[in-house]
PDB file of all heavy atoms in Angstrom:
ATOM      1  N   GLN A 116     104.242  21.969  28.382  1.00  0.00           N
ATOM      2  CA  GLN A 116     104.109  20.632  27.800  1.00  0.00           C
ATOM      3  C   GLN A 116     105.418  19.859  27.931  1.00  0.00           C
ATOM      4  O   GLN A 116     105.411  18.651  28.184  1.00  0.00           O
ATOM      5  CB  GLN A 116     103.699  20.715  26.324  1.00  0.00           C
ATOM      6  CG  GLN A 116     102.293  21.180  26.101  1.00  0.00           C
ATOM      7  CD  GLN A 116     101.265  20.119  26.448  1.00  0.00           C
ATOM      8  OE1 GLN A 116     101.569  18.967  26.660  1.00  0.00           O
ATOM      9  NE2 GLN A 116     100.019  20.546  26.526  1.00  0.00           N
ATOM     10  N   ARG A 117     106.545  20.553  27.776  1.00  0.00           N
ATOM     11  CA  ARG A 117     107.850  19.909  27.924  1.00  0.00           C
ATOM     12  C   ARG A 117     108.019  19.392  29.347  1.00  0.00           C
ATOM     13  O   ARG A 117     108.455  18.261  29.562  1.00  0.00           O
ATOM     14  CB  ARG A 117     108.967  20.895  27.588  1.00  0.00           C
ATOM     15  CG  ARG A 117     110.353  20.339  27.812  1.00  0.00           C
ATOM     16  CD  ARG A 117     111.432  21.408  27.552  1.00  0.00           C
ATOM     17  NE  ARG A 117     112.660  20.981  28.150  1.00  0.00           N
ATOM     18  CZ  ARG A 117     113.063  21.295  29.372  1.00  0.00           C
ATOM     19  NH1 ARG A 117     112.334  22.063  30.134  1.00  0.00           N
ATOM     20  NH2 ARG A 117     114.208  20.845  29.838  1.00  0.00           N
ATOM     21  N   ILE A 118     107.654  20.202  30.325  1.00  0.00           N
ATOM     22  CA  ILE A 118     107.751  19.781  31.726  1.00  0.00           C
ATOM     23  C   ILE A 118     106.862  18.570  31.970  1.00  0.00           C
ATOM     24  O   ILE A 118     107.283  17.604  32.610  1.00  0.00           O
ATOM     25  CB  ILE A 118     107.384  20.952  32.662  1.00  0.00           C
ATOM     26  CG1 ILE A 118     108.467  22.035  32.590  1.00  0.00           C
ATOM     27  CG2 ILE A 118     107.179  20.471  34.092  1.00  0.00           C
ATOM     28  CD1 ILE A 118     108.077  23.348  33.242  1.00  0.00           C
ATOM     29  N   ASP A 119     105.647  18.603  31.447  1.00  0.00           N
ATOM     30  CA  ASP A 119     104.739  17.460  31.599  1.00  0.00           C
ATOM     31  C   ASP A 119     105.323  16.197  30.971  1.00  0.00           C
ATOM     32  O   ASP A 119     105.233  15.114  31.547  1.00  0.00           O
ATOM     33  CB  ASP A 119     103.374  17.758  30.973  1.00  0.00           C
ATOM     34  CG  ASP A 119     102.580  18.793  31.756  1.00  0.00           C
ATOM     35  OD1 ASP A 119     102.952  19.086  32.918  1.00  0.00           O
ATOM     36  OD2 ASP A 119     101.599  19.318  31.194  1.00  0.00           O
ATOM     37  N   MET A 120     105.919  16.331  29.775  1.00  0.00           N
ATOM     38  CA  MET A 120     106.507  15.167  29.113  1.00  0.00           C
ATOM     39  C   MET A 120     107.672  14.608  29.919  1.00  0.00           C
ATOM     40  O   MET A 120     107.814  13.393  30.058  1.00  0.00           O
ATOM     41  CB  MET A 120     106.967  15.533  27.700  1.00  0.00           C
ATOM     42  CG  MET A 120     105.828  15.716  26.722  1.00  0.00           C
ATOM     43  SD  MET A 120     106.413  16.130  25.068  1.00  0.00           S
ATOM     44  CE  MET A 120     106.895  14.496  24.517  1.00  0.00           C
ATOM     45  N   LEU A 121     108.526  15.490  30.458  1.00  0.00           N
ATOM     46  CA  LEU A 121     109.652  15.022  31.259  1.00  0.00           C
ATOM     47  C   LEU A 121     109.173  14.304  32.516  1.00  0.00           C
ATOM     48  O   LEU A 121     109.723  13.270  32.898  1.00  0.00           O
ATOM     49  CB  LEU A 121     110.575  16.190  31.624  1.00  0.00           C
ATOM     50  CG  LEU A 121     111.392  16.757  30.472  1.00  0.00           C
ATOM     51  CD1 LEU A 121     112.092  18.049  30.890  1.00  0.00           C
ATOM     52  CD2 LEU A 121     112.407  15.736  29.971  1.00  0.00           C
ATOM     53  N   ARG A 122     108.140  14.833  33.149  1.00  0.00           N
ATOM     54  CA  ARG A 122     107.578  14.163  34.325  1.00  0.00           C
ATOM     55  C   ARG A 122     107.036  12.789  33.961  1.00  0.00           C
ATOM     56  O   ARG A 122     107.253  11.809  34.665  1.00  0.00           O
ATOM     57  CB  ARG A 122     106.469  15.004  34.939  1.00  0.00           C
ATOM     58  CG  ARG A 122     106.970  16.197  35.701  1.00  0.00           C
ATOM     59  CD  ARG A 122     105.816  16.957  36.296  1.00  0.00           C
ATOM     60  NE  ARG A 122     106.298  18.161  36.952  1.00  0.00           N
ATOM     61  CZ  ARG A 122     105.606  19.264  37.095  1.00  0.00           C
ATOM     62  NH1 ARG A 122     104.357  19.321  36.633  1.00  0.00           N
ATOM     63  NH2 ARG A 122     106.111  20.304  37.699  1.00  0.00           N
ATOM     64  N   LYS A 123     106.327  12.716  32.844  1.00  0.00           N
ATOM     65  CA  LYS A 123     105.766  11.446  32.397  1.00  0.00           C
ATOM     66  C   LYS A 123     106.883  10.456  32.093  1.00  0.00           C
ATOM     67  O   LYS A 123     106.801   9.279  32.453  1.00  0.00           O
ATOM     68  CB  LYS A 123     104.901  11.674  31.156  1.00  0.00           C
ATOM     69  CG  LYS A 123     104.249  10.431  30.627  1.00  0.00           C
ATOM     70  CD  LYS A 123     103.409  10.755  29.404  1.00  0.00           C
ATOM     71  CE  LYS A 123     102.826   9.497  28.800  1.00  0.00           C
ATOM     72  NZ  LYS A 123     102.098   9.791  27.568  1.00  0.00           N
ATOM     73  N   MET A 124     107.946  10.921  31.461  1.00  0.00           N
ATOM     74  CA  MET A 124     109.063  10.046  31.132  1.00  0.00           C
ATOM     75  C   MET A 124     109.758   9.553  32.400  1.00  0.00           C
ATOM     76  O   MET A 124     110.181   8.404  32.464  1.00  0.00           O
ATOM     77  CB  MET A 124     110.050  10.778  30.220  1.00  0.00           C
ATOM     78  CG  MET A 124     109.512  10.978  28.817  1.00  0.00           C
ATOM     79  SD  MET A 124     110.430  12.155  27.794  1.00  0.00           S
ATOM     80  CE  MET A 124     112.104  11.627  27.993  1.00  0.00           C
ATOM     81  N   GLN A 125     109.847  10.403  33.414  1.00  0.00           N
ATOM     82  CA  GLN A 125     110.462   9.983  34.677  1.00  0.00           C
ATOM     83  C   GLN A 125     109.616   8.932  35.364  1.00  0.00           C
ATOM     84  O   GLN A 125     110.138   7.984  35.936  1.00  0.00           O
ATOM     85  CB  GLN A 125     110.673  11.177  35.599  1.00  0.00           C
ATOM     86  CG  GLN A 125     111.825  12.045  35.166  1.00  0.00           C
ATOM     87  CD  GLN A 125     111.979  13.279  36.028  1.00  0.00           C
ATOM     88  OE1 GLN A 125     111.085  13.645  36.779  1.00  0.00           O
ATOM     89  NE2 GLN A 125     113.114  13.933  35.915  1.00  0.00           N
ATOM     90  N   ARG A 126     108.286   9.096  35.335  1.00  0.00           N
ATOM     91  CA  ARG A 126     107.404   8.083  35.925  1.00  0.00           C
ATOM     92  C   ARG A 126     107.566   6.761  35.197  1.00  0.00           C
ATOM     93  O   ARG A 126     107.658   5.712  35.813  1.00  0.00           O
ATOM     94  CB  ARG A 126     105.942   8.531  35.854  1.00  0.00           C
ATOM     95  CG  ARG A 126     105.537   9.470  36.944  1.00  0.00           C
ATOM     96  CD  ARG A 126     104.028   9.572  37.006  1.00  0.00           C
ATOM     97  NE  ARG A 126     103.420   9.912  35.737  1.00  0.00           N
ATOM     98  CZ  ARG A 126     103.064  11.124  35.362  1.00  0.00           C
ATOM     99  NH1 ARG A 126     103.235  12.135  36.174  1.00  0.00           N
ATOM    100  NH2 ARG A 126     102.505  11.339  34.196  1.00  0.00           N
ATOM    101  N   THR A 127     107.605   6.814  33.879  1.00  0.00           N
ATOM    102  CA  THR A 127     107.744   5.602  33.082  1.00  0.00           C
ATOM    103  C   THR A 127     109.089   4.940  33.340  1.00  0.00           C
ATOM    104  O   THR A 127     109.172   3.737  33.516  1.00  0.00           O
ATOM    105  CB  THR A 127     107.593   5.919  31.582  1.00  0.00           C
ATOM    106  OG1 THR A 127     106.343   6.562  31.378  1.00  0.00           O
ATOM    107  CG2 THR A 127     107.665   4.665  30.743  1.00  0.00           C
ATOM    108  N   SER A 128     110.151   5.734  33.398  1.00  0.00           N
ATOM    109  CA  SER A 128     111.470   5.146  33.622  1.00  0.00           C
ATOM    110  C   SER A 128     111.584   4.606  35.045  1.00  0.00           C
ATOM    111  O   SER A 128     112.297   3.650  35.287  1.00  0.00           O
ATOM    112  CB  SER A 128     112.576   6.163  33.347  1.00  0.00           C
ATOM    113  OG  SER A 128     112.513   7.226  34.271  1.00  0.00           O
ATOM    114  N   ALA A 129     110.845   5.186  35.988  1.00  0.00           N
ATOM    115  CA  ALA A 129     110.867   4.667  37.353  1.00  0.00           C
ATOM    116  C   ALA A 129     110.141   3.332  37.425  1.00  0.00           C
ATOM    117  O   ALA A 129     110.488   2.474  38.225  1.00  0.00           O
ATOM    118  CB  ALA A 129     110.213   5.664  38.306  1.00  0.00           C
ATOM    119  N   GLU A 130     109.145   3.148  36.571  1.00  0.00           N
ATOM    120  CA  GLU A 130     108.408   1.902  36.567  1.00  0.00           C
ATOM    121  C   GLU A 130     109.219   0.772  35.953  1.00  0.00           C
ATOM    122  O   GLU A 130     109.125  -0.362  36.368  1.00  0.00           O
ATOM    123  CB  GLU A 130     107.098   2.065  35.785  1.00  0.00           C
ATOM    124  CG  GLU A 130     106.109   2.971  36.480  1.00  0.00           C
ATOM    125  CD  GLU A 130     104.935   3.323  35.590  1.00  0.00           C
ATOM    126  OE1 GLU A 130     104.846   2.786  34.479  1.00  0.00           O
ATOM    127  OE2 GLU A 130     104.117   4.141  36.011  1.00  0.00           O
ATOM    128  N   MET A 131     110.052   1.078  34.969  1.00  0.00           N
ATOM    129  CA  MET A 131     110.818   0.034  34.308  1.00  0.00           C
ATOM    130  C   MET A 131     112.208   0.556  33.956  1.00  0.00           C
ATOM    131  O   MET A 131     112.456   0.975  32.827  1.00  0.00           O
ATOM    132  CB  MET A 131     110.108  -0.423  33.033  1.00  0.00           C
ATOM    133  CG  MET A 131     110.814  -1.571  32.354  1.00  0.00           C
ATOM    134  SD  MET A 131     110.013  -2.046  30.826  1.00  0.00           S
ATOM    135  CE  MET A 131     108.798  -3.148  31.447  1.00  0.00           C
ATOM    136  N   PRO A 132     113.133   0.575  34.927  1.00  0.00           N
ATOM    137  CA  PRO A 132     114.477   1.055  34.626  1.00  0.00           C
ATOM    138  C   PRO A 132     115.235   0.051  33.762  1.00  0.00           C
ATOM    139  O   PRO A 132     115.108  -1.156  33.946  1.00  0.00           O
ATOM    140  CB  PRO A 132     115.120   1.186  36.006  1.00  0.00           C
ATOM    141  CG  PRO A 132     114.372   0.214  36.851  1.00  0.00           C
ATOM    142  CD  PRO A 132     112.974   0.172  36.298  1.00  0.00           C
ATOM    143  N   VAL A 133     115.991   0.552  32.812  1.00  0.00           N
ATOM    144  CA  VAL A 133     116.792  -0.318  31.961  1.00  0.00           C
ATOM    145  C   VAL A 133     118.250  -0.089  32.328  1.00  0.00           C
ATOM    146  O   VAL A 133     118.773   1.005  32.164  1.00  0.00           O
ATOM    147  CB  VAL A 133     116.566  -0.008  30.460  1.00  0.00           C
ATOM    148  CG1 VAL A 133     117.487  -0.851  29.603  1.00  0.00           C
ATOM    149  CG2 VAL A 133     115.120  -0.215  30.098  1.00  0.00           C
ATOM    150  N   GLU A 134     118.871  -1.112  32.842  1.00  0.00           N
ATOM    151  CA  GLU A 134     120.280  -1.050  33.186  1.00  0.00           C
ATOM    152  C   GLU A 134     121.085  -1.387  31.933  1.00  0.00           C
ATOM    153  O   GLU A 134     120.687  -2.239  31.138  1.00  0.00           O
ATOM    154  CB  GLU A 134     120.592  -2.068  34.285  1.00  0.00           C
ATOM    155  CG  GLU A 134     119.789  -1.875  35.554  1.00  0.00           C
ATOM    156  CD  GLU A 134     120.325  -0.765  36.416  1.00  0.00           C
ATOM    157  OE1 GLU A 134     121.542  -0.485  36.335  1.00  0.00           O
ATOM    158  OE2 GLU A 134     119.535  -0.172  37.161  1.00  0.00           O
ATOM    159  N   THR A 135     122.236  -0.782  31.781  1.00  0.00           N
ATOM    160  CA  THR A 135     123.077  -1.045  30.622  1.00  0.00           C
ATOM    161  C   THR A 135     123.478  -2.510  30.566  1.00  0.00           C
ATOM    162  O   THR A 135     123.481  -3.123  29.502  1.00  0.00           O
ATOM    163  CB  THR A 135     124.343  -0.169  30.674  1.00  0.00           C
ATOM    164  OG1 THR A 135     123.951   1.173  30.853  1.00  0.00           O
ATOM    165  CG2 THR A 135     125.155  -0.297  29.413  1.00  0.00           C
ATOM    166  N   GLU A 136     123.775  -3.105  31.720  1.00  0.00           N
ATOM    167  CA  GLU A 136     124.169  -4.511  31.716  1.00  0.00           C
ATOM    168  C   GLU A 136     123.020  -5.415  31.278  1.00  0.00           C
ATOM    169  O   GLU A 136     123.246  -6.490  30.736  1.00  0.00           O
ATOM    170  CB  GLU A 136     124.709  -4.940  33.074  1.00  0.00           C
ATOM    171  CG  GLU A 136     123.693  -4.902  34.188  1.00  0.00           C
ATOM    172  CD  GLU A 136     124.308  -5.225  35.538  1.00  0.00           C
ATOM    173  OE1 GLU A 136     125.195  -4.475  35.961  1.00  0.00           O
ATOM    174  OE2 GLU A 136     123.891  -6.226  36.131  1.00  0.00           O
ATOM    175  N   ASP A 137     121.776  -4.985  31.482  1.00  0.00           N
ATOM    176  CA  ASP A 137     120.638  -5.778  31.019  1.00  0.00           C
ATOM    177  C   ASP A 137     120.640  -5.917  29.504  1.00  0.00           C
ATOM    178  O   ASP A 137     120.249  -6.939  28.967  1.00  0.00           O
ATOM    179  CB  ASP A 137     119.307  -5.140  31.443  1.00  0.00           C
ATOM    180  CG  ASP A 137     119.045  -5.270  32.934  1.00  0.00           C
ATOM    181  OD1 ASP A 137     119.679  -6.142  33.571  1.00  0.00           O
ATOM    182  OD2 ASP A 137     118.213  -4.502  33.438  1.00  0.00           O
ATOM    183  N   LEU A 138     121.071  -4.879  28.823  1.00  0.00           N
ATOM    184  CA  LEU A 138     121.059  -4.907  27.363  1.00  0.00           C
ATOM    185  C   LEU A 138     122.036  -5.943  26.820  1.00  0.00           C
ATOM    186  O   LEU A 138     121.821  -6.508  25.761  1.00  0.00           O
ATOM    187  CB  LEU A 138     121.401  -3.525  26.806  1.00  0.00           C
ATOM    188  CG  LEU A 138     120.398  -2.428  27.135  1.00  0.00           C
ATOM    189  CD1 LEU A 138     120.906  -1.083  26.650  1.00  0.00           C
ATOM    190  CD2 LEU A 138     119.042  -2.738  26.536  1.00  0.00           C
TER     191      LEU A 138
END
Side-chain angles (χ1 to χ4, degrees):
Q116 290 286 348
R117 176 184 163 267
I118 291 168
D119 290 346
M120 287 181 79
L121 289 171
R122 285 181 184 152
K123 181 180 176 184
M124 288 166 49
Q125 285 176 345
R126 278 194 307 263
T127 304
S128 65
E130 292 170 5
M131 184 183 275
V133 176
E134 302 281 333
T135 308
E136 65 185 61
D137 288 341
L138 296 174

